Amino acid sequence: MANHLFDAICNAIKSPDTVFIETDNGTTWTYRDMLECSARIANAIVLRGVAPGDRVAVQVPKSAEALMLYLACVRAGAIYLPLNTAYTAVELEYFISDAAPKLVIISPDAAEYLHNCVFQAGARMETLGANGEGTLFEFTAEQPEAFVNAHRNPDDLAAILYTSGTTGRSKGAMLSHDNLLSNVLALQERWHFSSADRLIHALPLFHAHGLFVAANLTLLSGSRMDLLSKFEVDRIFAVLPRATIMMGVPTFYTRLLQDARLTAESTRHIRVFISGSAPLLADTHSSFFERTGQAILERYGMTETNMITSNPYDGARLPGSVGYALPGVSVRVTDPTTGAQLAAGEPGMIEVKGPNVFKGYWNLPEKTKEEFRDDGYFITGDIGIMEPDGRLAIIGRNKDLIISGGYNVYPSEVENELNAIEGIVESAVIGIPHRDLGEAVTAIVVREPGAKVDAAAIATGIERRLARFKQPKRVIFVDLLPRNAMGKVQKNVLRDTYRNLFVENGSEMQVV
Ligand code: MLC
Ligand code: AMP
């Protein structure tokens, strides 16, 4: 039986004895290990009742085993639903009830508090820890190391990734086997990926960047990666001498720049440093070039579309530009209101069409329709300028979104939580430029007259409700929020007023 994505992965294997993964605790996994382990897990999840098309929700620490679980889902025809490990139980309850998974796999230490929620959703639960411990591998070990892959067509779903909504709750972006495969093949061609490559993988495994770009690209090139459990500067320098590629969010590069070990000599083995998920400052690009002689290659993508554009591998990698559309991907810039295509050089809405573009939002057909033009282009919400030669620059966003260290934070979600705290009248959450994170979540809050609520009370109020990365790094109390004639809060005025908040005082969290 044909399994669109996994067949391609198998075809890319050069030899089963080639090393696929080396973890930071020194364990190596060959491609044979990958085939055997993913087969065992696929057998195990099928025994637990998972059938093709069922969702398998996963919130587990990063590990090689977690990657095997993803591959097992692909083989079993299940829809993999990875969840940020920072999400709180309150956030998880929503994803589990919305996606109605057949199976939920979580870290052993979360089992107790999530038990009721999983049970109420009618799902089964297994656990998987950072070192393979937990119930999943207890019964996986007894399973056969062969598995007949489920038949999956190119348009069948491989994954659902939740992305936060500008209003309301998060939406599940449905990604097909071919959305993932076509995109990786385009990247492979653009970035000259081959089996000789060795990737430094320091990204999380629950987002498009770490899972689909980094891990799928390694698999589909039959190459090798150093799977680090998280980004840490020391660990990066430990593996740099043996690697050929590193991928990261801009924060990785700003942190590396702060270390004296970053030199042309220490990076000499790397053939390309790739950045994405958030804007790379021109200053980071040029400082990195001055220190290492390496021009970081910036690319642009989105959960809903996978990767869209990339700077060239061979040509000039320009700071401030995200490069050209990937092979097979069409990009245009339009008038945000009318949707009419704009001439080169004019700023407008970036729209995308191609085999990379997702199949819609889970259970939200109306929302899906709103985000596509009639001719099939997806409206990204990013504002850009296309040069006459097809080079794209992103100059802003037409969506109220903060990108902090590569994680998206939707202000309305944080504002709803703040406004629910007793003593708070209203709030405005904005992103303020931040040396380390790019933008730092900042809350401007209006209290009821005489209310005692302070920053500490706010921190306690949201602690269990919002993932840590969404929690404001600073809280500022004001008497009134600035509004325009229509009564809308003027976030641009707030961003302007507080733009130097983190410049003067360093990057530590501080409450004003
Ligand atoms: C961690 N913290 C963050 C944070 N990450 N706060 C804001 N923004 C973030 N991104 C919190 C921690 O909970 C902790 O809180 C405090 O900040 C300090 O933690 P740290 O140890 O310094 O953080 P660290 O673990 O080093 O994480 C920083 C990071 C990480 C940048 C390495 O956030 C990261 O790996 N980001 C990558 C995100 C990513 O992969 N995005 C791809 C999306 S896909 P406290 O208060 O408890 O101390 C996509 C499509 C595309 O966008 O185009 O790719
Ligand atoms: P996500 O929802 O996590 O997939 O985030 C996608 C968003 O990240 C895009 O819509 C952009 O706003 C932003 N993004 C991704 N890559 C870049 C980049 N290279 N430069 C600027 N913004 C980027």
Side-chain angles (χ1 to χ4, degrees):
M1 280 195 278
N3 182 297
H4 191 64
L5 180 56
F6 202 76
D7 288 353
I9 290 173
C10 290
N11 289 338
I13 297 174
K14 306 297 170 214
S15 146
D17 295 321
T18 304
V19 172
F20 166 39
I21 292 174
E22 193 167 332
T23 66
D24 46 8
N25 63 20
T27 316
T28 52
W29 294 67
T30 62
Y31 276 89
R32 188 192 311 283
D33 296 331
M34 178 278 280
L35 291 170
E36 290 178 4
C37 185
S38 61
R40 285 187 207 278
I41 306 176
N43 280 309
I45 63 175
V46 167
L47 263 188
R48 285 292 187 257
V50 172
D54 283 341
R55 275 78 57 215
V56 175
V58 176
Q59 191 201 37
V60 298
K62 184 176 178 183
S63 69
E65 287 84 353
L67 197 54
M68 301 303 146
L69 173 57
Y70 154 64
L71 293 168
C73 289
V74 173
R75 298 185 72 171
I79 302 173
Y80 189 67
L81 200 163
L83 293 160
N84 193 322
T85 47
Y87 288 148
T88 63
V90 174
E91 289 165 306
L92 285 179
E93 272 173 30
Y94 166 73
F95 297 119
I96 292 173
S97 65
D98 189 59
K102 179 61 74 67
L103 184 62
V104 179
I105 302 174
I106 51 172
S107 169
D109 50 18
E112 204 179 310
Y113 63 79
L114 277 182
H115 183 270
N116 284 349
C117 150
V118 175
F119 182 73
Q120 273 163 17
R124 296 189 75 139
M125 185 168 87
E126 299 294 342
T127 58
L128 174 62
N131 300 303
E133 72 278 17
T135 58
L136 181 69
F137 272 70
E138 280 165 19
F139 76 104
T140 290
E142 306 148 12
Q143 301 305 316
E145 59 188 42
F147 179 77
V148 180
N149 297 332
H151 181 85
R152 291 282 91 182
N153 288 317
D155 278 344
D156 285 328
L157 297 187
I160 294 180
L161 264 62
Y162 275 83
T163 77
S164 302
T166 35
T167 52
R169 305 306 296 259
S170 297
K171 304 162 289 180
M174 301 188 286
L175 295 155
S176 71
H177 276 235
D178 200 52
N179 288 153
L180 305 184
L181 179 58
S182 65
N183 202 237
V184 166
L185 296 178
L187 293 173
Q188 195 177 37
E189 181 189 324
R190 271 296 152 88
W191 296 344
H192 301 194
F193 233 87
S194 82
S195 58
D197 277 311
R198 187 161 175 170
L199 172 85
I200 301 180
H201 193 304
L203 290 155
L205 277 176
F206 43 73
H207 276 310
H209 197 164
L211 189 59
F212 302 141
V213 183
N216 274 353
L217 199 43
T218 304
L219 283 159
L220 283 148
S221 311
S223 60
R224 175 174 180 151
M225 62 185 173
D226 287 288
L227 194 76
L228 310 184
S229 57
K230 65 176 292 211
F231 176 84
E232 268 177 9
V233 169
D234 285 347
R235 294 196 220 180
I236 300 294
F237 282 108
V239 291
L240 264 182
R242 57 187 200 224
T244 62
I245 294 189
M246 192 181 111
M247 284 179 198
V249 296
T251 300
F252 286 17
Y253 296 106
T254 49
R255 289 190 183 178
L256 287 175
L257 272 166
Q258 282 165 29
D259 196 293
R261 287 170 290 181
L262 186 79
T263 60
E265 176 57 25
S266 65
T267 56
R268 127 186 104 79
H269 238 255
I270 302 288
R271 68 175 181 86
V272 61
F273 285 96
I274 300 171
S275 176
S277 307
L280 181 76
L281 296 181
D283 180 52
T284 310
H285 192 281
S286 57
S287 304
F288 204 87
F289 185 75
E290 276 161 29
R291 287 272 288 280
T292 64
Q294 301 250 14
I296 298 173
L297 186 158
E298 185 176 10
R299 57 62 180 177
Y300 160 53
M302 217 179 148
T303 304
E304 288 92 332
T305 61
N306 294 288
M307 300 306 107
I308 303 168
T309 66
S310 170
N311 268 278
Y313 183 77
D314 294 313
R317 301 175 198 160
L318 302 184
S321 162
V322 290
Y324 303 93
L326 291 173
V329 177
S330 304
V331 179
R332 68 184 183 194
V333 173
T334 64
D335 180 314
T337 326
T338 64
Q341 186 158 357
L342 296 173
E346 285 189 48
M349 177 66 74
I350 301 172
E351 299 185 2
V352 190
K353 190 174 172 178
N356 54 316
V357 177
F358 76 135
K359 300 291 167 199
Y361 295 111
W362 173 254
N363 278 342
L364 293 172
E366 289 307 314
K367 186 75 201 151
T368 304
K369 230 161 120 194
E370 280 169 26
E371 310 226 350
F372 280 88
R373 300 281 182 205
D374 291 344
D375 60 358
Y377 273 82
F378 174 68
I379 306 165
T380 61
D382 292 313
I383 301 293
I385 296 179
M386 180 87 83
E387 297 302 330
D389 71 348
R391 229 181 217 286
L392 187 72
I394 299 173
I395 58 162
R397 291 179 210 131
N398 200 23
K399 46 190 175 188
D400 196 11
L401 162 71
I402 299 169
I403 306 184
S404 167
Y407 285 145
N408 288 5
V409 180
Y410 278 85
S412 62
E413 190 185 356
V414 184
E415 287 159 6
N416 290 342
E417 293 296 342
L418 296 177
N419 298 348
I421 296 173
E422 215 184 310
I424 291 184
V425 179
E426 61 174 349
S427 60
V429 170
I430 53 174
I432 300 287
H434 188 279
R435 224 171 352 122
D436 183 45
L437 298 169
E439 291 177 287
V441 177
T442 305
I444 321 294
V445 173
V446 180
R447 282 178 284 206
E448 281 168 12
K452 293 273 180 298
V453 59
D454 60 5
I458 289 177
T460 310
I462 56 175
E463 193 176 20
R464 290 174 183 278
R465 302 193 55 83
L466 285 177
R468 203 95 180 114
F469 68 89
K470 299 179 191 171
Q471 298 178 17
K473 298 286 180 205
R474 293 223 193 149
V475 178
I476 297 166
F477 293 103
V478 295
D479 292 336
L480 273 180
L481 294 176
R483 292 183 187 275
N484 65 14
M486 311 289 288
K488 195 165 181 261
V489 174
Q490 290 171 303
K491 289 200 169 176
N492 52 338
V493 172
L494 291 172
R495 277 190 286 265
D496 202 39
T497 307
Y498 298 109
R499 67 180 185 280
N500 290 326
L501 198 62
F502 293 97
V503 176
E504 287 159 7
N505 300 316
S507 60
E508 302 101 88
M509 174 159 172
Q510 193 181 322
V511 175
V512 177

